[in-house]
Amino acid sequence: MPLPSYTLGVMEASAYAPEVFARGLPSSPRLRQQSEDTGEPINSVAGVASPLLSLQGIGLSFGGVVALADIDLSVLSGEIRAIIGPNGAGKSSLINVISGVYRPDRGHVRLDGISYAQVPTQRLAHLGVARTFQNLALFKGLSVLDNVASGLAYKVRSNFAGQVLGIGRSRGEQRDSRSRAEQILEFLDLSSVRDHLAGTLPYGLQKRVELARALVAEPRLLLLDEPMAGMTAGEKSEMAAFVRAARDRFATTVVLIEHDVGVVMGLSDRIAVLDYGRKIADATPDEVRNDQRVIDAYLGVASDNEDGAGI
Amino acid sequence: MTAISVDFASAPVLPKWLVPVLLLAVAYGVVPLIGSSYLFEAILLPFLALSLAGVGLNILTGYAGQVSLGSAAFMAAGAFAAYNFNLRVEGLPLIGSIFLAGIVAAAIGIVFGLPSLRLKGFYLAVSTLAAQFFVQWALTKFSWFSNNSASGVIDAPRLSISGFALDGAIGRYLFALTVVTVLTFLAHRLVSSQTGRNFIAIRDNETAARIIGIPVLKTKLLAFAISSFIIGVAGVIWAFAYLRTVEPDGFDLDRSFQILFIIIIGGLASIRGAFFGAALIVVFPLALSRLGVFLLGDLFDSGVLDMSQRIVLGALIILFLILEPDGLVALWDRVRRRLLFAWQST
Ligand SMILES: Nc1ncnc2c1ncn2[C@@H]1O[C@H](COP(=O)(O)OP(=O)(O)OP(=O)(O)O)[C@@H](O)[C@H]1O
Ligand SMILES: [Mg+2]
């Protein structure tokens, strides 16, 4: 990506991020618009949208606990795909399956045309997939900048001897990863904390650093497990704006787990609803909002859904 | 474009290289002129060898997060390998023997690092004990390693570099100082390189490290290799420059624990920490025995000294773990900040 347009994008995104979010909020299901105006459904080949990611018949259990049962899911290129559901519904398990942390008992993960029984975690970054974790998974002993730069570690080809002696391709790599990390920090408005140890930052900022670490590789598929958990309303809308801006800037496809239904409705193109490991709904925000089974599932655990955002 | 907030705007910032360079200037320029042979033989030589071992272990345990109780085994491997290279390879310069000894220690380190691919924490520590017992057993069992010497205790070769003898106390000190300086500098470069950051990433969150594409298995074995190389060279210095004998007994489990204590007391994941910790470990028993004799006179014999040493050292380690888990280095940095601050506000 040429630098000038990138820098422009950065300024756009950080300056107008709140507005981007505001425009997103009054439930504008992008997907429906796309199919209505027959314009360009993203990634369509001869009129048929080919999914970047699809899950087929995924089943996973831990001992007697069924975490996922016969899950099918397709994620189109460029969309923001939300997964919601009560606690223990299997959302994180699903992301763990997609990223290869868990091996499903049944089913396949199809990524970019290749089918996997277990996605190779070690090659995930090379496949263009990045993720964040529900519980913070930063490298506490590294600075914010180094955390983010480590998101490019998969590309490093110099060896330790070259790095120690500062010879060969190591210097160029080091310069390159630093400057890209710095650009992402600026994009996410984190430049002022770049030299702080990641572990010393407040929770909300750590979540954002984790997003930066995932984004620096400019992944095609970004998996976000509750990126806004534990944030104030203000922080949440900021984060939502960043997620949207990241999608727009890097043409990244996003799979998003989030409990705050208000945020999800405004941000996502399509929503899959899990309950006890089963998918009970999969539709646009408006349709999900009025789905009786979804309402039942949430009413059943009303106390867990303190965020209040009513369906 | 971005406003950079500087937290310590008031604290004067010294360039980072200043303190090490000053210390080196004193170590090379002043100490050899004024030091007594007691200072070299009893304090500085063991201090340098143990510091270097601490630097090596810190790379593995402090930075890469892999606990090891096998340090003394790698020291022994280094010492015996250097002895045998020196003995059996005609015309190999001393530096060559030492380098190859490091390579041998690194290879053994990789073998005993293999369990780290499956084991973590306590279980890994126990499995590194295997290295400790195996190496010591092999060195005692096969007399080839000690050139079939009856006692198993052999004289180390005299130190010399291109015909220039270094076997006086000062010569051995300068030799050890140079080796330690070079390896410490390289270790410092390593921990601030991408590889060093990969070590820390694996230590702090292995799953996340794997997800972002850090080659976890390779990186762990690399940590074992580099760490063992440095510890192996520390073993050579211990045997060749400090003790001037090579024997398996000095490299027992106690030594492994001693090096672990050095990095815990000095500060994990800190190159400086190894030097702080080693200084304390070396000076502490000497100070304790002086104090004991001063207070108790003849009652304070070597048995009492040994016991009181263990008790006080144990207490010290517990205190550090509770009160200052970041070690002497953190303590020192705090004191220094206070002092600088106080000095500024006068
Ligand atoms: N590693 C594991 N070992 C055992 N059980 C697990 C494991 N991971 C998930 N589970 C179980 O699988 C079920 C689904 O868990 P999961 O974490 O996927 O839910 P979730 O939808 O992410 O919930 P939350 O909203 O609380 O994050 C739960 O019953 C959980 O206890
Ligand atoms: Mg979860």
Side-chain angles (χ1 to χ4, degrees):
Chain A
M1 192 170 297
L3 192 63
S5 78
Y6 177 84
T7 318
L8 185 68
V10 168
M11 293 174 55
E12 244 171 45
S14 44
Y16 302 119
E19 199 191 309
V20 172
F21 177 66
R23 262 190 281 128
L25 253 186
S27 71
S28 62
R30 287 171 47 100
L31 202 78
R32 201 181 53 189
Q33 283 174 355
Q34 282 158 3
S35 52
E36 273 170 9
D37 63 29
T38 61
E40 296 172 16
I42 303 161
N43 196 26
S44 79
V45 180
V48 185
S50 68
L52 175 67
L53 166 74
S54 66
L55 308 186
Q56 292 140 3
I58 295 290
L60 174 68
S61 39
F62 297 100
V65 181
V66 177
L68 295 169
D70 199 23
I71 301 283
D72 293 325
L73 186 79
S74 80
V75 180
L76 300 181
S77 199
E79 73 175 331
I80 296 183
R81 188 74 153 97
I83 300 172
I84 63 172
N87 291 108
K91 306 178 296 295
S92 295
S93 299
L94 196 64
I95 287 218
N96 283 336
V97 165
I98 298 172
S99 56
V101 176
Y102 292 165
R103 181 194 171 93
D105 305 330
R106 271 175 300 282
H108 290 274
V109 177
R110 199 173 173 79
L111 191 61
D112 205 22
I114 303 171
S115 206
Y116 301 96
Q118 179 177 21
V119 178
T121 313
Q122 194 84 68
R123 301 217 4 99
L124 204 62
H126 294 275
L127 294 172
V129 182
R131 67 166 289 181
T132 65
F133 294 80
Q134 177 165 358
N135 302 310
L136 289 170
L138 284 178
F139 309 128
K140 290 198 176 70
L142 288 178
S143 72
V144 168
L145 182 69
D146 287 343
N147 262 279
V148 177
S150 70
L152 293 167
Y154 74 101
K155 282 190 176 169
V156 169
R157 293 177 58 215
S158 60
N159 61 19
F160 82 94
Q163 292 164 16
V164 167
L165 302 174
I167 54 174
R169 50 164 77 88
S170 69
R171 304 184 92 164
E173 277 177 357
Q174 164 93 355
R175 231 186 353 255
D176 188 50
S177 68
R178 276 185 84 94
S179 80
R180 284 181 63 181
E182 271 163 6
Q183 286 170 7
I184 292 290
L185 288 180
E186 199 164 313
F187 178 54
L188 295 182
D189 206 6
L190 286 165
S191 296
S192 58
V193 293
R194 50 167 267 174
D195 293 325
H196 291 231
L197 283 186
T200 63
L201 295 182
Y203 181 80
L205 278 186
Q206 292 198 33
K207 281 279 197 194
R208 213 194 290 173
V209 174
E210 224 186 305
L211 176 63
R213 184 180 67 188
L215 265 184
V216 74
E218 298 183 15
R220 285 184 306 157
L221 179 61
L222 180 62
L223 312 169
L224 304 175
D225 194 346
E226 306 204 14
M228 301 149 204
M231 289 186 167
T232 64
E235 288 174 326
K236 277 182 185 173
S237 62
E238 217 180 16
M239 193 67 165
F242 283 131
V243 171
R244 186 181 284 279
R247 190 269 305 262
D248 294 345
R249 181 56 39 215
F250 304 109
T252 300
T253 307
V254 181
V255 173
L256 169 76
I257 296 178
E258 179 48 49
H259 275 292
D260 187 327
V261 179
V263 171
V264 168
M265 290 291 163
L267 194 58
S268 37
D269 300 313
R270 286 194 296 161
I271 301 177
V273 188
L274 299 189
D275 192 24
Y276 292 111
R278 300 193 167 276
K279 191 167 84 173
I280 58 169
D282 192 349
T284 63
D286 274 350
E287 289 160 5
V288 163
R289 193 193 303 269
N290 299 314
D291 189 304
Q292 191 55 45
R293 292 180 65 187
V294 178
I295 295 170
D296 290 345
Y298 268 85
L299 286 179
V301 290
S303 58
D304 286 338
N305 189 26
E306 289 147 36
D307 299 327
I311 288 190
Chain B
M1 263 169 82
T2 32
I4 296 167
S5 70
V6 182
D7 302 20
F8 301 104
S10 57
V13 187
L14 301 171
K16 270 190 174 163
W17 50 264
L18 189 69
V19 175
V21 166
L22 285 179
L23 283 175
L24 277 178
V26 172
Y28 274 105
V30 180
V31 173
L33 299 180
I34 60 168
S36 65
S37 89
Y38 176 80
L39 180 71
F40 296 120
E41 302 276 6
I43 297 180
L44 290 179
L45 281 166
F47 163 74
L48 285 169
L50 290 176
S51 297
L52 187 60
V55 168
L57 182 62
N58 228 341
I59 286 178
L60 182 67
T61 301
Y63 287 92
Q66 313 295 308
V67 185
S68 163
L69 290 177
S71 309
F74 302 126
M75 287 179 84
F80 276 87
Y83 171 77
N84 280 291
F85 278 120
N86 190 73
L87 180 76
R88 295 169 203 278
V89 183
E90 198 72 27
L92 184 68
L94 181 64
I95 290 296
S97 304
I98 294 179
F99 180 79
L100 290 176
I103 298 288
V104 168
I108 297 176
I110 290 178
V111 171
F112 285 96
L114 286 172
S116 73
L117 307 183
R118 300 299 296 270
L119 302 178
K120 282 193 175 56
F122 176 72
Y123 296 97
L124 176 63
V126 170
S127 87
T128 57
L129 278 178
Q132 182 59 53
F133 293 124
F134 176 80
V135 170
Q136 247 194 324
W137 170 80
L139 291 176
T140 327
K141 167 91 180 166
F142 302 105
S143 54
W144 181 85
F145 288 117
S146 35
N147 200 23
N148 303 315
S149 129
S151 61
V153 180
I154 42 188
D155 286 339
R158 319 178 77 197
L159 294 186
S160 73
I161 287 179
S162 43
F164 190 75
L166 289 170
D167 44 8
I170 295 181
R172 282 179 285 123
Y173 160 75
L174 288 175
F175 173 80
L177 179 65
T178 305
V179 173
V180 171
T181 303
V182 169
L183 282 183
T184 301
F185 175 71
L186 294 179
H188 165 76
R189 294 269 310 174
L190 175 77
V191 298
S192 44
S193 75
Q194 181 61 49
T195 301
R197 292 195 290 271
N198 289 355
F199 288 168
I200 295 175
I202 288 172
R203 174 196 73 191
D204 285 355
N205 198 314
E206 196 175 316
T207 307
R210 180 173 290 121
I211 292 272
I212 61 176
I214 291 172
V216 172
L217 305 186
K218 209 180 107 192
T219 305
K220 276 188 185 174
L221 291 183
L222 184 64
F224 268 96
I226 295 175
S227 157
S228 306
F229 180 96
I230 296 176
I231 296 176
V233 174
V236 183
I237 292 182
W238 181 266
F240 283 29
Y242 168 48
L243 290 184
R244 282 187 287 171
T245 61
V246 188
E247 53 185 317
D249 283 355
F251 300 116
D252 56 1
L253 187 58
D254 274 8
R255 182 81 55 224
S256 287
F257 271 110
Q258 189 180 41
I259 296 162
L260 187 62
F261 293 158
I262 284 175
I263 64 170
I264 291 175
I265 293 177
L268 287 168
S270 157
I271 298 284
R272 282 182 303 157
F275 289 85
F276 279 80
L280 190 111
I281 288 278
V282 169
V283 171
F284 162 78
L286 301 175
L288 194 70
S289 83
R290 296 251 163 128
L291 185 75
V293 170
F294 175 75
L295 291 178
L296 301 174
D298 288 344
L299 276 176
F300 200 81
D301 58 19
S302 67
V304 181
L305 171 67
D306 197 53
M307 196 177 63
S308 54
Q309 230 180 69
R310 283 167 190 270
I311 292 171
V312 179
L313 193 64
L316 216 63
I317 287 161
I318 293 172
L319 270 180
F320 263 101
L321 285 176
I322 296 173
L323 298 178
E324 190 62 273
D326 293 331
L328 282 170
V329 169
L331 202 68
W332 165 254
D333 282 346
R334 252 207 324 278
V335 170
R336 201 183 55 161
R337 256 203 306 280
R338 294 253 169 84
L339 287 179
L340 280 175
F341 194 73
W343 175 69
Q344 264 228 322
S345 46
T346 52

